[in-house]
Amino acid sequence: REREMLRRAQSAQKQAEEARAVYRAVIEHDPMYIPAYQGLASLLESQGRAAEAYAVAREANHEQARNRPKSGNLTPNIW
């Protein structure tokens, strides 16, 4: 019974590590895809890694602010 519980715990840890890697890959590919930041922050929070989750949320906010159109200029700059 203990071995089965250990196997499950190790499997869950491996899945969490894989999920973190996938979220990071998605963010690297498309920094504006906010659900990836949300998923990563949620995963980190569920693991008791609140400071890292907060850092991910700040990263998402920064990315959104950096890509927000300038006030009064809602047309994309294509030149």
Side-chain angles (χ1 to χ4, degrees), residues 7-76:
R7 186 189 66 72
R8 286 184 184 184
Q10 289 170 335
S11 177
Q13 183 176 357
K14 183 179 178 186
Q15 288 177 343
E17 291 168 6
E18 290 172 357
R20 276 196 308 276
V22 169
Y23 283 130
R24 280 292 175 198
V26 170
I27 290 167
E28 186 174 321
H29 176 74
D30 183 0
M32 287 300 297
Y33 190 65
I34 300 306
Y37 292 95
Q38 292 168 329
L40 180 56
S42 178
L43 175 64
L44 292 168
E45 182 73 27
S46 74
Q47 295 177 322
R49 299 164 73 173
E52 290 176 73
Y54 179 73
V56 168
R58 286 185 46 211
E59 185 181 343
N61 287 338
H62 174 75
E63 196 60 42
Q64 279 187 315
R66 192 169 70 88
N67 289 293
R68 187 173 295 132
K70 302 278 188 269
S71 179
N73 182 13
L74 299 178
T75 58

